Amino acid sequence: MHGIAREDLTDFFSYTNDFNQVSYSGYDFDGYTNAALNSLDYSRFSSTADSQHWARLGRSDSELDINCRIAAFTLFQSVVKYDNKGVQDLEIIDLETFDSNSLLHFNSEERLKYAAIFNTVSLPENAHHEEAKDAILSNWDRQGISFNNDIPVTLLCVYLQNPGSNFIQVAHAAVLIQTGNEYTLIEKYNPKQPYLASVFMDKESVIVYINQRLNQEKIEDLTNYLIMSNDSLIS
């Protein structure tokens, strides 16, 4: 499917099926529902109720932790290229989740690729968007990450910077698939919310949607964010 490996699709749908089976709220739909960009409603989905429900099933909180990055990487890992350059300071984020979640079976090389994509990036002091983008690209190049921009599948990364910090990190990740004139955004917004596939008529609407989600989260403690589509800055 557009360069996504069949086995990665199988793994991804094993995540969604597992989540829907154990989800207390039964938050799933048959087909698509029209919605305004700012009207997605998760009010029927209770994190507290679901945590209690998972506990009754013998599932620990650690098993809720398939997050946005892991979901996106599962779909995208065969699309992105990784030339292991033996970088020594590579910290594997989400390592505890990899080790504790029974659905995840990433090998050592896949874990290194994951870390190379999503690692925290050091920034120059008072960096603006273009400087932050350059730091991200330099980090990916140093770690051997490159993208194929000739296929209609892209990785969207929302980078956020804490105030007073010289580091930027991926706070949200999603996969965008173009089919004809439509764009399908596939994401897991956070570990305790459902998997979501949203269809947009143009890429600009995708950017508006992501910005509105960030505004809805009221991220007052974060002073700077940018959105990357593969290796291109789009917002």
Side-chain angles (χ1 to χ4, degrees), residues 95-210:
L95 178 61
E96 183 178 354
T97 303
F98 291 156
D99 290 338
S100 65
N101 193 296
S102 59
L103 293 173
L104 302 177
H105 307 288
F106 297 127
N107 61 36
S108 58
E109 190 74 2
E110 290 166 339
R111 292 183 181 205
L112 288 173
K113 179 191 282 191
Y114 182 93
I117 295 171
F118 295 122
N119 237 15
T120 300
V121 177
S122 178
L123 297 179
E125 189 172 354
N126 300 318
H128 54 68
H129 269 41
E130 283 295 326
E131 289 176 317
K133 180 202 73 173
D134 290 343
I136 293 166
L137 296 182
S138 175
N139 179 67
W140 279 337
D141 181 66
R142 183 174 71 92
Q143 309 209 50
I145 292 295
S146 59
F147 298 90
N148 182 355
N149 291 309
D150 295 327
I151 61 175
V153 181
T154 57
L155 177 68
L156 298 187
C157 290
V158 179
Y159 281 87
L160 296 174
Q161 180 184 2
N162 286 307
S165 167
N166 288 332
F167 296 91
I168 196 166
Q169 59 191 358
V170 178
H172 186 55
V175 173
L176 186 65
I177 301 173
Q178 182 180 2
T179 305
N181 295 323
E182 293 183 342
Y183 293 83
T184 302
L185 184 70
I186 301 174
E187 61 183 336
K188 182 80 163 67
Y189 199 72
N190 74 41
K192 294 186 179 182
Q193 289 182 349
Y195 294 85
L196 186 66
S198 305
V199 177
F200 302 86
M201 294 300 102
D202 51 65
K203 200 168 186 177
E204 289 71 23
S205 295
V206 179
I207 298 170
V208 170
Y209 159 77
I210 293 173

Side-chain angles (χ1 to χ4, degrees), residues 28-97:
D28 58 352
F29 296 98
D30 182 13
Y32 289 92
T33 299
N34 289 331
L37 288 176
N38 61 352
S39 68
L40 292 172
D41 178 18
Y42 286 102
S43 62
R44 288 203 288 124
F45 194 86
S46 168
S47 296
T48 301
D50 276 331
S51 293
Q52 294 169 350
H53 177 63
W54 281 56
R56 287 195 295 272
L57 292 173
R59 304 284 287 268
S60 67
D61 275 347
S62 65
E63 291 183 298
L64 288 169
D65 288 341
I66 291 182
N67 57 31
C68 61
R69 292 181 297 272
I70 294 172
F73 178 77
T74 298
L75 284 178
F76 198 76
Q77 63 174 318
S78 296
V79 180
V80 65
K81 298 176 182 177
Y82 174 53
D83 177 19
N84 188 343
K85 295 185 177 181
V87 175
Q88 297 300 311
D89 59 346
L90 198 58
E91 178 183 359
I92 301 180
I93 62 172
D94 298 321
L95 178 61
E96 183 178 354
T97 303

